[in-house]
Amino acid sequence: QVQFVESGGGLVQPGGSLRLSCTASGFSLGNYAIGWFRQAPGEEREGVSLISSSDGSTYYADSVKGRFTISRDNAKNTVYLQMNSLKPEDTAIYYCATVSATMVPFGSWGQGTQVTVSS
């Protein structure tokens, strides 16, 4: 059974950092481009970052560029999202998914992990 498990979320003050993990089971994550998405209350789900399967190239939404870093450890079947200089507008549930090169998600979603940035 193909499944993603996201973890690492929590409550952090503005300017703080978190590292999210996305661990896959049931398939080899290294064969796919993986994207991180987020959904704030009342908002549509938006793409945040992508890492390719081939050469590790990355993409970041303008809203997180320079603050977030995506990486992967294929041996652990895990993709990470290091989030620094967090802002209240980063508050959302964060999800990972297999994606196309243009960040169109496909396959199943995990339960997500809640990130709350607040003082």
Side-chain angles (χ1 to χ4, degrees):
Q1 181 180 358
V2 174
Q3 187 176 7
F4 282 110
V5 176
E6 300 93 343
S7 62
L11 173 64
V12 63
Q13 292 186 343
S17 298
L18 286 172
R19 188 176 80 155
L20 306 184
S21 298
C22 164
T23 300
S25 61
F27 73 105
S28 178
L29 182 150
N31 294 329
Y32 297 89
I34 302 297
W36 279 100
F37 297 78
R38 66 186 182 186
Q39 187 167 21
E43 303 289 333
E44 292 188 355
R45 194 171 297 186
E46 64 169 347
V48 173
S49 183
L50 171 156
I51 187 165
S52 73
S53 61
S54 55
D55 59 2
S57 56
T58 58
Y59 157 84
Y60 299 95
D62 287 343
S63 58
V64 307
K65 200 172 294 183
R67 301 187 297 121
F68 290 12
T69 303
I70 191 171
S71 61
R72 66 195 305 156
D73 185 338
N74 291 339
K76 294 183 178 180
N77 223 27
T78 299
V79 169
Y80 302 98
L81 187 68
Q82 177 67 44
M83 306 188 298
N84 299 327
S85 302
L86 283 161
K87 304 175 181 180
E89 51 263 44
D90 295 318
T91 295
I93 301 175
Y94 284 71
Y95 303 87
C96 59
T98 46
V99 296
S100 71
T102 54
M103 204 151 181
V104 175
F106 62 92
S108 60
W109 293 93
Q111 84 290 348
T113 186
Q114 175 71 50
V115 172
T116 303
V117 185
S118 174
S119 55

